[in-house]
Amino acid sequence: MKKLWGGRFTEAAEAWVEEFGASISFDQELVLEDIEGSLAHVTMLGKCGILPAEDVAKIKEGLQALLEKAQKDELTFAIENEDVHLNLEKMLIEEIGEVGGKLHTARSRNDQVATDMHLYLRKEVKDMIQKVKQVQKALVEQAEQNVETIMPGYTHLQRAQPVSFAHHLLAYFWMLERDAERYEDSLKRINISPLGAGALAGTTFPIDRSYSASLLGFDGIYENSMDAVSDRDFILEFLSNSSILMMHLSRFCEELIMWSSQEFQFIEMSDKYSTGSSIMPQKKNPDMAELIRGKTGRVYGNLFSLLTVMKGLPLAYNKDLQEDKEGMFDTVKTIKTSLLVMAGMIETMKVNKDKMGQAVKQDFSNATEIADYLAAKGLPFRQAHEIVGRLVLLCIEKGIYLLDLPLETYQEICPLFEEDLYAVLSPYAAVQRRNSAGGTGFAQVEAALQKANAVLKQNV
Ligand code: ARG
C-alpha cells in the first residue's frame, strides 16, 4: 500500500517491521482529539487565506463526517497507515477526494500529536478531579457518622494515642485535596497549544497560532516551536501527580486490608468489594483494596518508563516519543477505576465501633494522658514520662491496664496523683481533650468536617 509519505522510498518495510513502528493499535484512543485539532487547524488555514474557502468547507465537511463515524465507533483503522493521524488523513482523502491532502498544509504530525495529547489530558484530568471529589465526599460522609467513634491511633504500628475515627478518615480527605489541587494546577501547563510549531521550526505559511489555540480552548501557545513538539513534561507531571495520588490510595487500602483482618476486625468490607476463596469456604478477601495497592506499582512504572524514555533525547521530535502514550492511557484508566472503587468501598464498609472502642480500652494508649496530667501539675514532662513508664511496667507485670491501678499505688509512686486522675484516663476524655488546632478533639473534628464540606461545595 502506498504510504502518505512514500515519495522518496523504493522499498517497503516488511509487515512485522511496519507493525513494530505503528502506533494505531493504541493511539486510536486520540481519534476525537485528532479530528478536533484538524478542524481548528483548517479553520485557521481558511481565516489566514492559506486555503481557499471552498477547500476549507469541503475539508470540514469531510472531517465532520469522520467525527460522526468516530463517535459511533464506525471507523476501521489499518496498521499499514501507521498511526491515528495518517489513518484519518487517508480516510479524509477517501471521503472528499484529493482536496483532503491540503489539510496537512503548515502542519506536521509532530505538532499534531502533541496537540492531541494536550487536548486528551485536559479532558481526562478534569474528569479525574471530579472523581477525586467523589472519594472525598465518601470520606466526609463516613466521617460524619464516626466523630465519636474512638480507635487506637498508631505510630510504628504500635498503639500510640486514641483518636476519633473521623479524624483518621479526614487525614485522607486532605491528602486527596492536595491531589486535586495538583491536577488543577497542572491544567495551566496542559492547556497550552503546540499547534503550528510544525515539525520543529515553525512554518513558512502565515499561520495564526493564537487563533487555532483559541478555537481549541487553549489558554495560550508554546513560546518555542522546538519545545512545543518535544515537550512531554505535561505527561510526566500527570504521571507524577497520579503516582502521588495512587500512593495515598494505596496507604488507605493497606489500612482497610489490615482493619478487615481477623486480628483487627475494625471494619467489614461490603460483599460488593470482596471475593471468596476457591478452596477455603470461610474466606472473604478484600481483593479490590489489594488491587488498588497493587496497581499503584504500574502507575509508578509508567512514570519511570517515560522519565527513562525522555532522559537522553536530543531536540526535537524523536520516534521514542511515541512511547509516551500507552503508559498515559493505562494510568488514566487505572486511576479512574481505582477512584470509583475507592469511593464505593468507603461508602459501603461497615464500621465496627465496638471493636475499635474495646481496642482502646485494652492498651496503654492513655499513658500520655497521665504524663500530661503530672506535667499540668507542674512536674517537668521528662520526669512525668519516667514515672508513667514505671507505672506501665508495673501494669504489664500484673497483667492489668492503667485504669485498673488503685489510687494508692499511683500515690506511692508520686504524691501529685489525686482522684481526678481517672477522669482523664478514659479514651473518650483523651480524645476530647486534644483540642489544639487540627487535633483529634471532637470540637476540632466537627470544625474540620465543616471546612471539608465547604471545600467540597466550592469545587463542585
Ligand atoms: N505516531 C507518532 C507518535 O505518536 C506521531 C508523530 C510521528 N512523527 C514523525 N515524525 N514520525 O509520536
Side-chain angles (χ1 to χ4, degrees), residues 395-416:
C395 286
I396 291 171
E397 281 162 11
K398 291 181 184 281
I400 57 173
Y401 296 102
L402 289 163
L403 260 171
D404 308 324
L405 275 183
L407 187 59
E408 303 83 71
T409 316
Y410 277 109
Q411 287 171 336
E412 271 163 33
I413 293 190
C414 175
L416 286 174

Side-chain angles (χ1 to χ4, degrees), residues 100-272:
K102 294 193 177 184
L103 168 64
H104 213 51
T105 313
R107 186 176 73 168
S108 151
R109 274 186 294 158
N110 298 350
D111 56 343
Q112 186 178 356
V113 69
T115 304
D116 290 3
M117 285 185 301
H118 279 272
L119 291 172
Y120 170 84
L121 267 191
R122 179 178 71 191
K123 173 184 78 187
E124 296 299 345
V125 165
K126 283 183 182 168
D127 183 50
M128 241 155 249
I129 295 172
Q130 288 316 310
K131 293 202 162 56
V132 171
K133 296 284 150 200
Q134 283 179 34
V135 181
Q136 287 182 292
K137 194 163 155 271
L139 283 166
V140 166
E141 280 166 10
Q142 195 52 267
E144 275 166 348
Q145 305 305 312
N146 286 288
V147 173
E148 296 209 353
T149 306
I150 297 171
M151 69 181 293
Y154 296 83
T155 62
H156 312 269
L157 202 53
Q158 304 288 321
R159 291 186 190 172
Q161 289 169 354
V163 292
S164 147
F165 184 49
H167 193 56
H168 195 125
L169 292 174
L170 287 178
Y172 287 99
F173 175 93
W174 297 110
M175 289 180 226
L176 291 175
E177 183 56 22
R178 291 194 294 275
D179 291 324
E181 276 175 21
R182 265 186 288 269
Y183 276 144
E184 191 75 49
D185 189 69
S186 74
L187 284 170
K188 278 192 252 167
R189 287 164 294 278
I190 291 172
N191 204 26
I192 50 170
S193 175
L195 193 58
L200 75 163
T203 172
T204 53
F205 290 96
I207 59 169
D208 184 346
R209 288 189 59 204
S210 300
Y211 180 66
S212 53
S214 73
L215 290 177
L216 291 169
F218 285 124
D219 294 328
I221 62 171
Y222 272 87
E223 292 296 336
N224 180 299
S225 64
M226 295 180 83
D227 183 32
V229 289
S230 59
D231 172 38
R232 296 295 182 270
D233 294 0
F234 66 106
I235 303 180
L236 284 170
E237 205 176 329
F238 165 69
L239 296 173
S240 141
N241 292 342
S242 301
S243 295
I244 299 178
L245 167 62
M246 282 306 278
M247 176 272 288
H248 291 150
L249 299 187
S250 185
R251 290 182 74 175
F252 192 35
C253 283
E254 168 65 15
E255 298 203 297
L256 295 179
I257 294 162
M258 247 172 12
W259 292 341
S260 35
S261 71
Q262 200 67 31
E263 284 68 19
F264 278 81
Q265 297 177 34
F266 285 179
I267 59 164
E268 189 183 337
M269 302 292 274
S270 153
D271 285 2
K272 288 187 186 163

